[in-house]
Amino acid sequence: QVQLVESGGGLVQAGDSVKLSCAASGRTFTIYFMGWFRQAPGKEREFVALISRRGNNTYYADSAKARFTISRDNNGNTVYLQMNSLQPEDTADYSCAASDLAEMTTRTGGYRCWGQGNQVTVSS
């Protein structure tokens, strides 16, 4: 399995930007498509964005479209989530996840490996 470690979260103000990173180690990074998920207090974990193995295809939740960008550096074994125009409702624990399924999915159950999570808090 691949090990995932997120970084880059913290406390920001509404309208600010944050870039999350997720460093992978262990198995070959390019066998996985990667996703970002988030979980707000009292809510279920929800899909945010995913990116294909080569990085040429991406998909976003409606809440992330036009504000968030997912990318990956396969040489550096890292996936990123650039988040712009953050709002208080974006406050959540953000996790990256890896899947080796043949077909990309937004379902949490489709991801085998998860990072520990990284808190992003947006104040109004």
Side-chain angles (χ1 to χ4, degrees):
Q1 291 189 347
V2 66
Q3 289 76 48
L4 304 173
V5 178
E6 300 100 337
S7 62
L11 174 64
V12 298
Q13 293 186 332
D16 283 353
S17 297
V18 166
K19 187 172 186 177
L20 302 180
S21 299
C22 172
S25 62
R27 293 193 66 187
T28 304
F29 185 53
T30 51
I31 71 172
Y32 299 100
F33 66 88
M34 300 296 295
W36 283 97
F37 293 78
R38 68 185 184 183
Q39 187 168 20
K43 295 186 177 181
E44 292 188 355
R45 180 178 284 170
E46 64 175 6
F47 166 77
V48 176
L50 64 80
I51 188 166
S52 62
R53 292 169 174 83
R54 291 187 297 169
N56 54 330
N57 287 313
T58 58
Y59 184 75
Y60 297 90
D62 288 343
S63 60
K65 287 178 182 178
R67 297 189 302 129
F68 295 2
T69 302
I70 187 171
S71 61
R72 68 189 291 166
D73 173 6
N74 284 343
N75 290 325
N77 292 349
T78 303
V79 63
Y80 304 96
L81 184 68
Q82 174 70 45
M83 303 187 291
N84 300 327
S85 301
L86 285 164
Q87 299 301 315
E89 52 265 35
D90 294 315
T91 294
D93 187 67
Y94 285 74
S95 298
C96 63
S99 176
D100 57 1
L101 293 179
E103 185 171 338
M104 293 195 295
T105 180
T106 63
R107 298 181 298 106
T108 57
Y111 291 78
R112 185 189 301 272
C113 304
W114 291 82
Q116 83 284 0
N118 203 356
Q119 181 67 32
V120 174
T121 302
V122 185
S123 64
S124 59

